[in-house]
Structure formats: structure tokens, C-alpha cells
DNA sequence: TTTT
DNA sequence: TTTT
């Protein structure tokens, strides 16, 4: 279950680490802000910080293309890790394990704090918008050839 | 983007078909009901019907375990198919292409309208709630061994 | 942003408390279980526990109708609270502040561990599937009378 | 149930209409694009178009701040309207009735195709990120004063 | 710690 | 019809 969704901005550059086996693990901190009017009609606002973790290829992409301030859309699942502090007390950290990442906003680069700047891997030119079956009948769509057109 | 979520009940038994290549395609109709109080304080209710399509293995599971009345949780993506009716007019049908299915509710069967009856493949007894790293330090969780424990 | 969704079961009966002003605050613990096959083809499973908080009327409903084992659908937002333990160390607890609750599964009661048993306020039988405008034209739906039919 | 989420771009400027009672109804068309690699390793892409409807105040905001090309985050619910074409045939149109709108991307304007250009109503400066209870105990957060800080 |  |  892809149970959480975030739309927000990175508070810092991503942290990329690697497992002994060489797989990337990237952690980011994402702020989501919510505004509402309180009972006195005053504007209130609250910012929430979320720890988000990426693994493997998504970790590499996140490490390469995101930076402090980037606006992102993230889907993932909640996970609470249990660990122990120096005193041996149980501690818990809740994270979102990301399984989808979409970079938002227009071409931001052009002078970020990082070197390379840059944008998302440029989703390939979009062209075949047609899932038009264009079959002529009255029974609705068929799916005879879905193997060629569906991404799962 | 897994952009839609439904929690509802099947209006009929699933329809299972097969592509020439032998892949299953299952279609179900799911009712979601929403209740609210109108401005006069009267209870209002509205039922919405959704056409949901499954492919391949998920289609086989849906065809085997769901039946009329089943309560389901579905994640999927919207897709609008274009087709033509007998008169050659363009028609559109919007569906949810499911990528996740969870059967809800307790053991329903015990006398359904279908033969086999039955429930979901019995989610294996759930037992190891631990994603406890139990590493003792003050740096929060590590991920050295995530290959062994994470489902992607 | 209603950013998280849970479908799971309560690990214990709800805890209901009241603020000095008399508003209900209900906390539940919800288990979600995820199953997958690891690289050796063995079935793996993992259960995640989520702390969910309800306020006001939703808190009253949750306290009255949910119990240990109840299957629920919850929408809410993540919130991380900062507090301090006895030693004055900062501690963080992440919760889901619920803004929607739907009880899942058929009439469970009939022998639960609690006294009263009971189900959700019985979503009024769902019947009028029609948001059919039934206006005859070729321009698609109109909305002239939406005030009478839309729940916001 | 806020069951659908879209992140995409407007294909055209919004269409704003008004009910006889004076309430705004705004319709937009949103493209979402998905990319994947097919079985031959070729990049595939598919664009889906979604009809989104806003009512009342949200309709006014959408009409004022969105324009062709705007990137948006939308939450809403699916609704299928039934209507009849000139020949009296039943036709169906599926829409997303929006209940949340967030404009994405940085300062876009600076030369859009429309006159006014413009951005979102500038969410008020964000400042009080604290939902820190800072109560010193070992029982986790309390909620005594939630009336002052929670937006429902 | 971000952004609007 | 958009955008990447």
C-alpha cells in the first residue's frame, strides 16, 4: 500500500550513503506547510517535517537531482524503526519509505547552490498519448493487445 | 502515480476474459457510498459506481477471490479509453486500472452465490512486527541490510 | 493535504480522553501488514503499527464504535510531536491525525470481546445511485442545481 | 473519501461558469504523463487527460490563478455523470470533483499567454512551525490545548 | 532546515 | 490541449 503522499520542499540537500553491498540509500527532509484560519479568523500556519528514505535506483536519482529547496511529490509507506540510544533506551523514528518521486516546478536550476544544477532526467518527449483502441463496436474498450501498451 | 483509491463493494461478480495471448483481464464494478447532511440537516447519500480493470496475475486473483458484494480496497490509475459506437461516434469510458487489491472484511464466504467461495490467499498470519534494527547507537536507524528486508 | 491512508486493524481498544474544555481525544493503534516474496521466493511479511489520533466528534465516534480487532480505513495527516522524557531529552512521536474514518467489514459484533459490540452508524442503506442529470443535450453535464446535491 | 490525486498540467485555460444562484463552477483539463520502459527496453510514455471540476470558492480561485500550462496538485473524488446526447442515447462523463487545489512550481508567470499572469494567493509567510508541546514527562504528547492549534 |  |  503506497499509503502516504507528500508535496513539499527539501530543507537541505539530500544525504546519500551506501550499504556495504553498494546500494544507495538517500535520506531527505521534506517540509509540508498547511494554512488555515483559526476561530478568530486569523491565518494560522504550520510546517511539518518529514524524513523520507529512498533505496537503490530511486536513491541515486534523488541524490543526483534533488537539492535544498527542491519541490517534490513523493509516494511511499510509513515505517517506524526502533533503535536504542546510548543509554539503552528504546527510541523510535518514523520515516516514509519512498517508492515514487516526481520533481515539481519548472526548470529551477539556473543558479542553485549546487554545482551541476539540473533537472529531472527529462522524461522522453511524450508523444503517444493514444490509448485509443479505436475499435468500432458498442461494447466498450477491448484489451487484446494490452501487453504492448501497459506499464506493468 | 497510483492516483486513485476506492473502498467499496462489488455490484456483481467479476467478469474475467483472456487476451489472445492468454493473459487474464478482469473487470469489476465497485460502488462507493458517501453520506452527508444537506443544508436542511437531512441525511443525503450518493452511490458512485466505478469500473475497475485488472490485468494478468491480479486479474486472476480478482476473478478467483472476489464476488458480488465483496468489500475491497483498490489502488489504481485513471484511464479514459476512446472507442466508437455503431454510428461511428466517439465514446469515452473511464476506468481505474488497478495495481493493488486488498480484500476487506472478515471471512465472508460461508454460503456465497459462487461455488468455491473463499477469501483472499490468507495473508500469512502476520507475525514479525519487527523491523527493529536494534542497533545500539545514537544515530538512528541504519540500513546496511535492507536488501534482506525490504520489498522492492 | 489528507496525506496518509491506512487500512488495518486495531491492536487494542481505543483510548478516549478529554481536554479540560471537554473535547474528546481518541487514540488508537492500527496494524497494517504487507506481504511480499523475497529474492529466494519465500513469503515475507511485515506488520507496521501506526498511532492514530482523532479529535472532537470523530474521537467520540471512534471511541464508541471501534474496538480491538476492528478493521478500519483512515485518512489523515502526519504529525510529529516533540516532547521531553524525564531526563530532558528531546523525543519525537509521529502520529496520524485522522480526518476520515470508515469502519470496514461486515457486521462483526455478535460476540466480540467487548460488551456492547456494535457497528458503525449504519450507512443508510445506499440506494440512489443516480447523480444522473438526465439533461438532454450534447454538451455534457450541467451543474445548475449542484447546491442541492453536492456535499460541500 | 478524497479518493483521487492528480499532479499534472492544464491543457487550456480554465472555463468558469456560474449557476443561476451565482455560484462559480470551474472546469479544467489536466494532463498527467507516465513514462516506463517496455519489454524491449524502449522508453514509452502515455498522457492521460482528466476533467476536473471545482465549485464555489475553489472554483473562483481556480479560475483566477490557474491558466494553460499551470502545474497543479489536485485531490478530489470521482464522479460519473449520466446525460443524453441528441439522439437520446445515454452518455457518461467521468470527472474529478476537486476538494483541494495546490499550485505547484515556482514563479511561473513572467510572460504567460494570459494578461494578468499571477500566482497563488501567497500562503501567508509560514512561521509557527511549532506543534511542540514541550511538556516534560514520559507519556508522549498531550492535547490539552488542541483547540488552539488544529485546523478542524 | 524548505517553500508559498 | 499540457508538461517533462
Amino acid at each position: 500500500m503506497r499509503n502516504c503522499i507528500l508535496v513539499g520542499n527539501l530543507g537541505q540537500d539530500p544525504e546519500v550513503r551506501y550499504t556495504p553491498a553498494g546500494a544507495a540509500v538517500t535520506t531527505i527532509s521534506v517540509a509540508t506547510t498547511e494554512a488555515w484560519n483559526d476561530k478568530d479568523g486569523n491565518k494560522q500556519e504550520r510546517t511539518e517535517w518529514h524524513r523520507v528514505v529512498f533505496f537503490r535506483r530511486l536513491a541515486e536519482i534523488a541524490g543526483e537531482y534533488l537539492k535544498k529547496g527542491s519541490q517534490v511529490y513523493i509516494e511511499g509507506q510509513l515505517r517506524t524503526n526502533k533503535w536504542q540510544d546510548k543509554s539503552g533506551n528504546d527510541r523510535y523514528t518514523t520515516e516514509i519509505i519512498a517508492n515514487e518521486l516526481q520533481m515539481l516546478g519548472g526548470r529551477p536550476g539556473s543558479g542553485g547552490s549546487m554545482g551541476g544544477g539540473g533537472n529531472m532526467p527529462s522524461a522522453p518527449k511524450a508523444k503517444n498519448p493514444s490509448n485509443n483502441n479505436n475499435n468500432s463496436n458498442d461494447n466498450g474498450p477491448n484489451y487484446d493487445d494490452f501487453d504492448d501498451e501497459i506499464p506493468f
Side-chain angles (χ1 to χ4, degrees), chain A residues 7-146:
Chain A
V7 175
N9 298 275
L10 274 72
Q12 313 173 18
D13 288 336
E15 283 177 40
V16 185
R17 289 179 301 147
Y18 293 87
T19 66
V25 179
T26 298
T27 304
I28 62 173
S29 184
V30 176
T32 57
T33 302
E34 179 170 25
W36 74 97
N37 296 306
D38 67 14
K39 45 194 173 184
D40 303 324
N42 296 323
K43 211 141 216 171
Q44 295 294 324
E45 194 183 80
R46 170 192 196 114
T47 295
E48 193 67 42
W49 289 96
H50 309 272
R51 179 181 163 92
V52 179
V53 184
F54 303 88
F55 293 99
R56 304 178 218 227
R57 199 171 119 56
L58 209 49
E60 293 164 5
I61 293 173
E64 183 167 3
Y65 294 103
L66 301 182
K67 61 184 181 197
K68 182 176 175 174
S70 296
Q71 190 182 35
V72 289
Y73 170 93
I74 286 162
E75 285 177 29
Q77 357 186 168
L78 284 177
R79 193 166 73 170
T80 298
N81 288 291
K82 183 185 185 179
W83 50 287
Q84 290 172 314
D85 64 20
K86 287 178 214 153
S87 320
N89 299 314
D90 285 347
R91 302 288 291 269
Y92 300 86
T93 301
T94 299
E95 309 161 327
I96 293 167
I97 308 300
N99 16 47
E100 176 138 352
L101 165 65
Q102 198 173 327
M103 204 173 163
L104 302 174
R107 51 219 78 76
S110 73
S113 65
M114 293 196 81
N119 204 338
M120 213 55 181
S122 136
K125 246 4 3 208
K127 203 44 174 316
N128 61 336
S130 57
N131 67 329
N132 308 358
N133 299 48
N134 273 22
N135 52 319
S136 289
N137 58 52
D138 254 19
N139 305 314
N142 69 24
Y143 297 102
D144 285 359
D145 48 359
F146 76 84

